[in-house]
Amino acid sequence: MSKIVWVNGCFDVLHRGHLELFKYAKSKGQKLIVGIDSDNKVRQSKGTTRPINCQEDRKFILQSIRYIDEVIIFDTHQDLKELIKKYNPIMVIGSDWKGKEVIGEEYSTELCFFDRISGYSTTDTLRKLNG
């Protein structure tokens, strides 16, 4: 049985930090599945100006990255929890989540933390674009 690794997020404006995350996550198993927030979920959590790229475009771009084997769009926390329960994966999340509740962690075989790459963040990228 192959080890499935799970990463999830918005992945709206990709940068090197995201690619390093995917590379690290893929090194933890044989199959990397990336769950992405639906457009509706992004608007609810980040405001009406987001996402910059629609869910189908985000999915297409992610599917083009060599480390990623599958991309799944989810709409709610419950949807996310059910997906993690279905795949029973190793979960890779940002180290800023240490000590916090991680949705679906009870269904994962292992929780791995990824240290964010300094100088790379979507928020900073959008600030630069907006001047």
Side-chain angles (χ1 to χ4, degrees):
M1 188 169 142
S2 66
K3 285 188 194 175
I4 295 174
V5 182
W6 179 274
V7 172
N8 64 268
C10 175
F11 304 115
D12 188 13
V13 177
L14 292 181
H15 51 71
R16 182 177 180 162
H18 290 129
L19 297 177
E20 295 285 358
L21 167 66
F22 301 142
K23 181 180 177 182
Y24 171 78
K26 180 68 176 205
S27 77
K28 295 291 184 182
Q30 288 79 36
K31 180 177 182 177
L32 174 58
I33 301 174
V34 176
I36 61 171
D37 299 348
S38 69
D39 290 347
N40 184 52
K41 187 170 184 318
V42 174
R43 277 190 292 276
Q44 288 174 357
S45 64
K46 299 188 182 290
T48 57
T49 61
R50 299 279 303 276
I52 303 298
N53 293 295
C54 71
Q55 65 191 28
E56 290 305 320
D57 288 351
R58 291 183 284 131
K59 182 177 181 178
F60 178 82
I61 291 166
L62 290 169
Q63 287 171 322
S64 302
I65 296 172
R66 68 179 173 160
Y67 306 112
I68 299 172
D69 298 294
E70 187 175 350
V71 180
I72 300 171
I73 299 168
F74 63 92
D75 198 45
T76 66
H77 289 296
Q78 187 59 38
D79 292 345
L80 174 58
K81 191 179 277 194
E82 291 300 319
L83 286 165
I84 294 167
K85 184 177 181 179
K86 174 183 176 181
Y87 291 104
N88 195 237
I90 296 167
M91 290 180 72
V92 176
I93 60 171
S95 58
D96 53 323
W97 282 91
K98 282 184 181 176
K100 299 177 184 175
E101 181 183 349
V102 175
I103 295 169
E105 70 179 301
E106 66 271 26
Y107 301 115
S108 69
T109 57
E110 183 181 350
L111 201 56
C112 297
F113 293 98
F114 176 77
D115 290 327
R116 293 182 185 267
I117 307 298
S118 180
Y120 295 97
S121 88
T122 300
T123 301
D124 289 346
T125 300
L126 292 175
R127 275 194 205 117
K128 288 176 192 173
L129 288 172
N130 291 324

